[in-house]
């Protein structure tokens, strides 16, 4: 009789564990599904940079908001509405960082006749844009661009004769 009670006890124990095991499996499936969905929503491929030369006008919701990272970047004719205009290219030197390049970009704007006070009076700001999808290092090219500090779109070229905002 002892064997029969032991067998009954094992069967009862297995029946009690079944809902627990099923619950754990279901919970793991839900967590895995959420992780996969979240990964799809927040993962971004490296930005495909358009060909950027001096005079390129850019569109990007991230540039418009002043974000420090980009998820999307496009080039458009400067006669169309755009978020930024590239007015100089700089090369990262040994010991340079983006802040240093930012100061060099401001110097380039001044060399083109648009100094800090002129930029400020038009609510424009100068920023650097690393033309790489990794942290820029010595030898990498950085674009100097101008944008409205409030994110208002630009129309026309800022750095050419007879240009408009």
């Amino acid at each position: 009789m002892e064997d029969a009670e032991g067998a009954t006890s094992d069967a009862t124990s297995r029946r009690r564990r079944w809902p627990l095991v099923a619950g754990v499996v279901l919970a793991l499936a839900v967590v895995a599904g959420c992780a996969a969905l979240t990964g799809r929503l927040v993962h971004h491929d490296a930005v495909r940079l358009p060909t950027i030369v001096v005079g390129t006008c850019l569109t990007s919701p991230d540039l418009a908001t002043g974000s420090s990272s980009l998820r999307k970047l496009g080039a458009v004719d400067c006669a169309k509405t755009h978020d930024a205009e590239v007015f100089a290219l700089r090369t990262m030197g040994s010991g340079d960082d983006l802040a240093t390049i930012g100061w060099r970009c401001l110097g380039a704007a001044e060399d083109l006749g648009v100094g800090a006070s002129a930029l400020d009076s038009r609510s424009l700001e100068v920023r650097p844009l690393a033309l790489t999808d990794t942290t820029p290092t010595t030898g990498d090219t950085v674009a100097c661009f101008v944008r409205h500090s409030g994110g208002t779109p630009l129309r026309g070229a800022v750095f050419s004769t007879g240009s408009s905002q």
Side-chain angles (χ1 to χ4, degrees):
M1 187 103 191
E2 218 173 46
D3 287 338
E5 284 179 11
T8 303
S9 177
D10 285 341
T12 302
S13 179
R14 279 190 294 246
R15 278 185 290 212
R16 287 183 186 157
R17 278 188 255 155
W18 171 245
L20 178 63
V21 170
V24 168
V25 169
L26 180 61
L28 288 173
V30 168
V31 168
C34 288
L37 179 61
T38 301
R40 242 180 258 144
L41 292 176
V42 299
H43 174 75
H44 300 287
D45 293 331
V47 173
R48 285 178 177 60
L49 295 172
T51 301
I52 295 177
V53 296
V54 172
T56 301
C57 288
L58 304 169
T59 59
S60 168
D62 299 311
L63 286 178
T65 62
S67 176
S68 62
S69 63
L70 293 176
R71 292 169 292 194
K72 184 178 179 184
L73 184 69
V76 296
D77 184 308
C78 291
K80 295 182 179 181
T81 301
H82 53 279
D83 300 304
E85 175 190 338
V86 175
F87 64 90
L89 298 175
R90 295 291 177 254
T91 302
M92 294 285 289
S94 177
D96 281 346
D97 59 15
L98 285 178
T100 304
I101 295 293
W103 285 107
R104 290 177 51 202
C105 288
L106 187 55
E110 290 174 353
D111 291 346
L112 293 170
V114 184
S117 61
L119 290 166
D120 190 48
S121 71
R122 295 169 66 186
S123 298
L124 297 172
E125 65 182 9
V126 168
R127 290 190 173 193
L129 173 64
L131 300 183
T132 176
D133 57 0
T134 61
T135 301
T137 60
T138 302
D140 285 341
T141 301
V142 176
C144 299
F145 70 90
V146 63
R147 67 178 284 277
H148 268 286
S149 56
T152 305
L154 299 167
R155 190 166 195 95
V158 173
F159 284 93
S160 67
T161 308
S163 65
S164 63
Q165 289 187 52

